[in-house]
Amino acid sequence: MTDCLFCKLVSGEIPSAKVYEDDVCYAFDDIEPEAPVHTLIVPKQHYDNLADGVPAGVLGHLLSVVPQVAAAKGVAESGYRTVVNTGPDSAATVAHLHLHVLGGIKMGRFTFEESFRAQDGEEGE
């Protein structure tokens, strides 16, 4: 995809802070981090998201790279979160499959707009 931001990062057309690279994927630091460590792992071949017929081998490889990225970023022992967003409700901003590796801070539970979890001791909806 010629208009895809992540495809341009993978090809080197746009510079990025590379963390890891192999024949299948490329990992780089997010330019708008949500945590002290926020690295994205993207397949070099373009897939819009998890629903785009991604081969199991590619998905497995992306997941197998997560511990290596966590180690490279210094969060392998303290812990990290891995997230994949798919579809409009996920808040994904780039239509190229990517895994977020987040760490470097003590994380709480996920929060969502209009969360079903009880807020401030109240019953959830």
Side-chain angles (χ1 to χ4, degrees), residues 20-116:
Y20 175 89
E21 182 174 16
D22 63 27
D23 292 343
V24 176
C25 66
Y26 182 75
F28 56 94
D29 289 329
D30 195 309
I31 61 168
E32 294 181 348
E34 299 285 340
V37 170
H38 191 165
T39 301
L40 305 178
I41 304 171
V42 303
K44 287 185 172 181
Q45 182 173 340
H46 183 93
Y47 300 97
D48 285 345
N49 55 47
L50 281 174
D52 195 18
V54 186
V58 171
L59 291 174
H61 183 76
L62 295 174
L63 287 171
S64 75
V65 168
V66 171
Q68 295 174 63
V69 167
K73 297 302 292 182
V75 296
E77 290 188 28
S78 60
Y80 52 92
R81 179 173 290 163
T82 306
V83 177
V84 179
N85 296 312
T86 299
D89 284 350
S90 73
T93 57
V94 177
H96 184 126
L97 174 64
H98 55 284
L99 284 69
H100 297 257
V101 179
L102 302 134
I105 192 168
K106 177 78 173 167
M107 293 183 218
R109 294 177 174 236
F110 279 114
T111 59
F112 304 96
E113 292 180 19
E114 301 178 34
S115 177
F116 288 101

